[in-house]
Amino acid sequence: MNTREIAVKILCEFEKDLKIKPHFERLTKNLSFKDRSFVREIVSGSVRFLKLLDFSIEKVSGKNQKKQHPAVRNSLRILAYQIFFMSVPLYAAINETVEAVKHFRKKAAGFVNAVGKKLINFDYKAEIEKIPDFYERISTLYSFENWMVKRWHRFYEDELVSILSFLNRTAPLYIRINTLKVKVSDYLKFLEESGIEFEVHPFIKEMVRIKGKVDIQSLPGYADGFFYIQDVASYLSALLLSPQKGKKILDIAAAPGGKTTAIAALVENEADIIAVDVDSERLKLLDRNLEKLGVNCVKTLKTDITKENPFTENSFDRVLLDAPCSGTGIIRRHPEGKWNKSLSLIKHNQKLEKALLKEAFKLLKPGGTLLYSVCSLEREEGEEIVNFALNIGFKKRDFDIKFEEIGVKGSMARVFPHKQGTDGFFYAIFTK
């Protein structure tokens, strides 16, 4: 299959389970970096702008997208995405997509060709402006579910459009230099010598943004564990915990280990860290990351502390609870998150977060510190959890480390793509 055929196939699989990664990895493993990048962009973009693309296709074709054959429906989506958002020559976008659909549904080639030609001159912005309802208009233009747009408007008011717009942007690639293996200054020299364009974070020196499209495996020290791919917002969870050498630290829901390994680096492998998770496969990945990054102060354990808490009460000086959540703050990295969320999922997550906090309270030493974080924009998983924590006995305290440049101060904070350029995260810090 050529790249567009693969993209169509991935999107057909996506429709079945609303997942991208497993299908992408399986169907592109034999492609070159360049072709994988093309397929990734066309698939992620089509999922990101699904509602807008379907609106436009239905307008020019007069046909309901839901009634189309899956391969035809998704061929039209990748074609519309190329025409609207990519710099692919128009004749190539149409011709190559028509050839792709022939692989699945030969008799649909003429239809796809005709729709493509109509899309070239279609002004989707002007057509969307005609939609009378505000929420339907905004949710179509930015391609989000109506219920998401309504609740974020209630939460964030005038910031709504900025939030939607920035969640639609491709997330930057940040790496955390692994100071257990290499000095920051030395690694920056390696990047320079390799001709890699990069930018050091303005106030977190070990965080580096890699510019342009780069094959991760081509970065210096990839095989040696010199870096870990991690967004600044994720790293902040470890920083704000303010871990100390010689202390006993618990990382709950730790896999695949981005924050666990960050904590280990911050204490220079001189702490007693226990990382727990309920997922065996993700724990295996965590163990591999520990080994690759040279972390030797972490013990891993498969357990669900809400059902079988194996630890003694008042055991830990520090607890990090980066809780399972809806993930609405990382939609720019996972555009499928627009379509696989629900209010019931948010409520389910809130129950789980509360249950984890209850157990974590028992395990924290009096005077100890717990850092709660979620990659979520939802108030139920952020501010409402703070109220719950205070009700069960936690006490507010201020962050030891403050990042006032990005508004992280006091005892809780939110960061956003449109404000801080990070993933959307919520943090709160407590003592007992």
Side-chain angles (χ1 to χ4, degrees), residues 250-254 274-277 305 319-323 356 360 363:
L250 177 65
D251 186 357
I252 301 171
I274 298 178
V276 301
D277 203 279
I305 65 168
V319 175
L320 173 60
L321 174 53
D322 184 60
L356 287 168
L363 301 178

Side-chain angles (χ1 to χ4, degrees), residues 25-39:
E25 294 298 335
R26 176 171 57 86
L27 291 165
T28 66
K29 60 184 177 183
N30 296 321
L31 296 184
S32 66
F33 172 72
K34 181 180 178 181
D35 284 346
R36 272 175 64 93
S37 296
F38 179 78
V39 174

Side-chain angles (χ1 to χ4, degrees), residues 144-200:
F144 282 84
E145 299 262 30
N146 275 33
W147 67 268
M148 279 187 176
V149 173
K150 287 178 179 178
R151 75 196 325 265
W152 291 347
H153 192 211
R154 190 170 74 248
F155 292 163
Y156 303 114
E157 299 177 341
D158 294 344
E159 294 181 80
L160 173 66
V161 168
S162 293
I163 288 172
L164 299 177
S165 177
F166 275 75
L167 285 177
N168 277 340
R169 300 188 182 187
T170 302
L173 171 60
Y174 269 96
I175 61 171
R176 170 176 56 82
I177 299 172
N178 178 24
T179 51
L180 292 174
K181 288 274 189 99
V182 63
K183 291 181 180 178
V184 170
S185 57
D186 288 342
Y187 191 76
L188 296 180
K189 287 177 185 176
F190 296 154
L191 288 175
E192 288 174 356
E193 290 165 359
S194 301
I196 305 291
E197 284 191 73
F198 66 91
E199 180 179 66
V200 179

Side-chain angles (χ1 to χ4, degrees), residues 24 35-48 81 85-88 170 213:
F24 176 83
D35 284 346
R36 272 175 64 93
S37 296
F38 179 78
V39 174
R40 179 183 284 110
E41 178 173 356
I42 211 169
V43 168
S44 295
S46 296
V47 172
R48 183 174 288 117
Y81 180 74
F85 297 106
M86 293 181 75
S87 56
V88 178
T170 302
K213 289 185 178 179

Side-chain angles (χ1 to χ4, degrees), residues 137-323:
R137 189 165 65 248
I138 293 295
S139 68
T140 303
L141 181 61
Y142 293 99
S143 258
F144 282 84
E145 299 262 30
N146 275 33
W147 67 268
M148 279 187 176
V149 173
K150 287 178 179 178
R151 75 196 325 265
W152 291 347
H153 192 211
R154 190 170 74 248
F155 292 163
Y156 303 114
E157 299 177 341
D158 294 344
E159 294 181 80
L160 173 66
V161 168
S162 293
I163 288 172
L164 299 177
S165 177
F166 275 75
L167 285 177
N168 277 340
R169 300 188 182 187
T170 302
L173 171 60
Y174 269 96
I175 61 171
R176 170 176 56 82
I177 299 172
N178 178 24
T179 51
L180 292 174
K181 288 274 189 99
V182 63
K183 291 181 180 178
V184 170
S185 57
D186 288 342
Y187 191 76
L188 296 180
K189 287 177 185 176
F190 296 154
L191 288 175
E192 288 174 356
E193 290 165 359
S194 301
I196 305 291
E197 284 191 73
F198 66 91
E199 180 179 66
V200 179
H201 192 273
F203 50 87
I204 306 176
K205 67 182 187 305
E206 58 269 41
M207 293 299 297
V208 179
R209 182 169 72 88
I210 304 298
K211 298 182 177 181
K213 289 185 178 179
V214 178
D215 184 353
I216 294 299
Q217 296 184 27
S218 72
L219 292 180
Y222 168 80
D224 300 311
F226 282 8
F227 66 87
Y228 187 91
I229 301 169
Q230 188 168 30
D231 188 69
V232 174
S234 171
Y235 185 42
L236 278 173
S237 295
L239 284 174
L240 293 172
L241 180 67
S242 191
Q244 307 295 318
K245 292 181 181 181
K247 300 296 184 180
K248 194 168 183 181
I249 302 169
L250 177 65
D251 186 357
I252 301 171
K259 300 171 186 70
T260 313
T261 55
I263 293 167
L266 289 168
V267 298
E268 300 176 2
N269 261 337
E270 296 181 27
D272 180 8
I273 303 172
I274 298 178
V276 301
D277 203 279
V278 298
D279 190 313
S280 298
E281 290 304 310
R282 284 169 60 83
L283 271 175
K284 289 177 186 175
L285 180 55
L286 170 54
D287 286 329
R288 290 198 293 272
N289 283 328
L290 295 175
E291 183 178 359
K292 182 177 181 180
L293 298 178
V295 175
N296 57 31
C297 65
V298 174
K299 295 175 184 175
T300 60
L301 179 66
K302 180 182 182 294
T303 186
D304 181 347
I305 65 168
T306 66
K307 294 177 181 175
E308 45 178 11
N309 197 330
F311 304 111
T312 306
E313 290 193 12
N314 304 321
S315 294
F316 294 94
D317 301 288
R318 293 279 193 279
V319 175
L320 173 60
L321 174 53
D322 184 60

Side-chain angles (χ1 to χ4, degrees), residues 358-414:
K358 276 185 178 180
E359 296 305 313
F361 180 79
K362 298 173 187 174
L363 301 178
L364 188 65
K365 289 180 181 178
T369 298
L370 179 137
L371 191 285
Y372 172 86
S373 62
V374 281
C375 53
S376 168
L377 301 180
E378 313 312 316
R379 294 289 175 92
E380 293 93 333
E381 298 180 279
E383 290 81 355
E384 288 185 21
I385 289 293
V386 170
N387 292 333
F388 172 80
L390 297 176
N391 286 336
I392 64 171
F394 280 108
K395 299 171 186 174
K396 280 186 180 180
R397 54 158 297 182
D398 285 350
F399 299 119
D400 291 334
I401 302 174
K402 296 174 179 61
F403 296 96
E404 297 199 6
E405 303 95 326
I406 57 172
V408 178
K409 55 187 178 180
S411 62
M412 65 179 182
R414 279 194 177 276

